Amino acid sequence: MGAVVAFCSQTGSAKRYADWLAEELGCQAVPLERIEAAVADADLVVLCSWFHAASLKGAKRFQAYMAAHGEKHYAVVAVGATPMPCELWPAGEHEEAFRRSFPAEAYPDLPWCYCQGGFHFERLGALDKIMMRIYFKMLESEVRKGDQRSATALAQMREGYDGCERSHLEPLVAELRTRGWA
Ligand SMILES: Cc1cc2nc3c(=O)[nH]c(=O)nc-3n(C[C@H](O)[C@H](O)[C@H](O)COP(=O)(O)O)c2cc1C
């Protein structure tokens, strides 16, 4: 029995979670592009990726792999900018975002967890910098209307932050162990 964590990461947060998870599972973390070669012998494959404009990067590629290898077990770590579930950001919103990429009808029994990542503007690619500048403008207009969440998000993103914590992976690791997959 073996596992592999396949990751997609632009600024390092999802890669950190992938490395932590690989350590927990005693396995390798490899870039998603190498999934075909790297996971041939694994019976558990975990995607660790980040939300980009409301969808999880690499989800389609991972799903194609899942469809072609129905004999394996799968799980997902979804990394995003929003805080861990709390009063301002209820868990239902993370679930909704995740289900846009992995709809419950198609993936009813896929273990997953949300982990807060970080935000590092200077590490973004050119196109993402443009997208984020537009997003900042949208947030500014919400702040002017008195929206508290937008004010918090804008302040944190402007400053840059690192919200990665290894403990955010605990629920998923526990579930994988309960299922006997890890
Ligand atoms: C263009 C862009 C769009 C993003 N869209 C979302 C989003 O829809 N939801 C979210 O929670 N985070 C979003 N984020 C934040 C990233 O998911 C977050 O910064 C994550 O930690 C990046 O992972 P990485 O460090 O592995 O690249 C977005 C970031 C960028 C640059």
Side-chain angles (χ1 to χ4, degrees), residues 16-146:
R16 271 173 81 199
Y17 282 110
D19 288 340
W20 282 329
L21 185 61
E23 225 174 88
E24 286 290 332
L25 303 179
C27 72
Q28 261 195 308
V30 300
L32 181 63
E33 302 85 70
R34 289 182 33 213
I35 189 168
E36 291 290 344
V39 312
D41 297 331
D43 51 16
L44 169 64
V45 190
V46 186
L47 172 68
C48 190
S49 186
W50 57 291
F51 282 114
H52 180 263
S55 66
L56 259 192
K57 276 271 182 189
K60 291 270 176 292
R61 182 163 187 169
F62 191 66
Q63 287 160 1
Y65 187 87
M66 290 171 80
H69 302 272
E71 74 287 358
K72 296 182 193 283
H73 299 305
Y74 297 96
V76 178
V77 175
V79 178
T82 48
M84 295 305 285
C86 57
E87 209 176 311
L88 266 185
W89 274 275
E93 290 191 20
H94 300 99
E95 171 88 24
E96 204 182 308
F98 178 74
R99 290 297 171 201
R100 261 184 236 126
S101 294
F102 288 91
E105 314 80 66
Y107 303 94
D109 192 33
L110 177 68
W112 74 280
C113 75
Y114 176 77
C115 291
Q116 185 182 23
F119 190 74
H120 310 278
F121 187 84
E122 73 291 349
R123 297 185 204 162
L124 297 178
L127 265 180
D128 280 349
K129 279 187 174 146
I130 293 169
M131 277 179 81
M132 287 316 295
R133 286 204 179 95
I134 294 167
Y135 184 56
F136 284 178
K137 293 271 174 239
M138 281 166 53
L139 287 176
E140 280 166 13
S141 110
E142 293 305 309
V143 173
R144 282 195 292 276
K145 291 180 209 154

